[in-house]
């Protein structure tokens, strides 16, 4: 029997480099499946259905909510975003480790629903480094950067709810850390109940 | 400031190979300090004070109990065995990861006293393999082997209380798994409260 995969939620401040880490992880290792979210927002130039997002109508999305087809969902600025349950469950059953890259409120919801979820938080080594990275992009206005810092402050308040903190100081190290944490997670006792029960039974058999 | 070390308790069935894994781990990596227990039993041939055990008198041992100088202790067949607190604390403060190789009842006591303790359980891949290893030693009588199996059955009942289960199928793999689990433990959010508080403070400062 194939071992079931681990469900991992990865979050992090805007500017933490979590997207780059995920990209590197998926390129380097074949063990992972990245969950693709559904959204009702319009595709941006270059975005493909089934790649960046599944683009669906509001009616379709609300039907998914009613049928409990979503692990979590939220509404931002008038658009729905959500994680389809079926894809995640299929991948986990097939033994793949599934990664959801979602924001913190969604992450906490997933953990409440599936307590076995592993929560990883990616952070730059310091706030000054975070600011440097946000400014360094050169693509954002001062207002957008200030908004992101403000949002980071809100997010920092619930960082404690995560299982692990990955300090993204060096990209390769961060990729290896994420990989190693997820691999080790398979050795957690609560994920090996079948094995433990088997050992107990066999040892009992002797007397 | 040097990061504080991780306190890890390693237990496992007799015949699980935990002693060999610990020996290999300490030979391969310099990051660990193995805690040495105190005992009131007499040294066996070849055993040295301060190497296998600290050999102390009953009076000395009971003084340590009274002064709360022991993390845990127990009495087996008329002899005391215990883990001296000062050595463990000094090593942890200096940043070393300290390993206690103690039996399960002691392990649970340590976890109750120090909830941050990491509990690792080493098991052979199956009960038949466990028996093969016990018999294969060729040094034990049938009664001793049966006693060990009986004890393993008792121990199996509290395996669930451990954090991780290491299946000792291949020695090198098992050494690497133990090392990697302890290293990753440093990334746990609850062990990075100072860093999290610092980030929170710095982000707050902006508004």
């Amino acid at each position: 029997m194939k071992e079931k995969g681990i469900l991992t939620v990865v979050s992090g401040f805007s500017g933490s480099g979590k997207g780059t880490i995920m990209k590197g992880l998926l390129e380097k290792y074949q063990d992972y499946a990245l969950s693709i979210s559904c959204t009702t927002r319009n595709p941006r130039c270059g975005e493909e259905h089934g790649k960046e997002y599944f683009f669906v109508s509001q009616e379709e999305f609300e039907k998914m909510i009613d049928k409990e087809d979503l692990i979590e969902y939220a509404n931002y600025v008038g658009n729905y975003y959500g994680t389809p349950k079926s894809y995640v469950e299929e991948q986990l059953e097939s033994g793949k480790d599934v990664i959801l890259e979602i924001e913190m409120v969604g992450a906490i919801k997933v953990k409440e629903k599936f307590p076995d979820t592993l929560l990883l938080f990616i952070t730059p080594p310091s706030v000054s480094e975070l600011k440097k990275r946000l400014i360094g992009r050169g693509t954002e206005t001062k207002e957008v950067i200030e908004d992101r810092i403000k949002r980071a402050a809100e997010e920092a308040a619930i960082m404690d709810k995560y299982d692990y903190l990955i300090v993204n100081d060096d990209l390769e190290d961060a990729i290896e850390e994420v990989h190693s944490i997820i691999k080790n997670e398979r050795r957690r006792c609560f994920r090996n109940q079948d094995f433990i029960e088997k050992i107990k039974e066999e040892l009992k058999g002797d007397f």
Side-chain angles (χ1 to χ4, degrees), chain A:
Chain A
M1 197 192 70
K2 194 138 177 53
E3 241 178 300
K4 221 187 140 197
I6 309 282
L7 179 59
T8 302
V9 172
V10 176
S11 310
F13 302 131
S14 171
S16 65
K18 61 181 185 301
T20 317
I21 295 174
M22 288 307 106
K23 197 167 164 280
L25 183 74
L26 269 84
E27 275 170 10
K28 200 161 172 186
Y29 299 102
Q30 313 309 310
D31 340 28
Y32 301 103
L34 193 65
S35 157
I36 299 162
S37 298
C38 286
T39 183
T40 57
R41 82 154 163 75
N42 290 322
R44 288 182 195 140
C45 183
E47 284 183 339
E48 281 173 49
H49 181 76
K51 202 174 165 205
E52 285 80 7
Y53 285 99
F54 294 112
F55 297 99
V56 299
S57 68
Q58 182 157 336
E59 202 193 329
E60 285 172 301
F61 200 100
E62 285 169 351
K63 210 178 275 172
M64 292 177 89
I65 298 175
D66 289 343
K67 290 169 69 189
E68 299 193 351
D69 285 346
L70 299 166
I71 291 181
E72 57 81 40
Y73 70 94
N75 195 309
Y76 292 112
V77 225
N79 287 309
Y80 281 121
Y81 295 82
T83 306
K85 200 193 275 176
S86 57
Y87 175 80
V88 170
E89 286 182 343
E90 277 161 28
Q91 296 292 322
L92 290 175
E93 285 303 327
S94 80
K96 282 250 184 188
D97 295 322
V98 177
I99 297 178
L100 310 185
E101 194 192 318
I102 56 178
E103 46 64 56
M104 299 180 82
V105 178
I108 306 301
K109 279 190 206 164
V110 173
K111 180 90 173 185
E112 278 165 8
K113 220 162 174 176
F114 304 98
D116 290 359
T117 306
L118 178 65
L119 296 186
L120 306 187
F121 193 83
I122 317 263
T123 172
S126 67
V127 170
S128 64
E129 177 63 26
L130 177 68
K131 287 180 190 167
K132 219 167 76 187
R133 288 186 199 176
L134 287 173
I135 296 165
R137 284 181 179 176
T139 53
E140 321 288 5
T141 62
K142 195 167 170 283
E143 285 68 34
V144 169
I145 292 170
E146 277 180 2
D147 259 10
R148 296 221 162 130
I149 299 280
K150 200 172 165 185
R151 175 142 194 192
E154 289 163 13
E155 291 177 330
I158 49 171
M159 268 166 90
D160 315 62
K161 292 196 187 288
Y162 279 67
D163 296 309
Y164 290 88
L165 188 71
I166 286 116
V167 179
N168 183 13
D169 206 354
D170 175 277
L171 177 63
E172 279 309 310
D173 288 351
I175 291 170
E176 281 313 304
E177 267 187 14
V178 170
H179 179 62
S180 160
I181 287 169
I182 299 175
K183 288 303 116 187
N184 283 345
E185 197 60 23
R186 290 192 179 249
R187 303 271 65 82
R188 299 272 293 181
C189 282
F190 75 84
R191 299 192 196 271
N192 289 279
Q193 285 307 321
D194 290 352
F195 180 87
I196 291 176
E197 285 311 313
K198 194 166 162 276
I199 292 265
K200 279 186 193 171
E201 271 313 303
E202 287 178 16
L203 284 167
K204 227 186 271 171
D206 270 78
F207 297 95

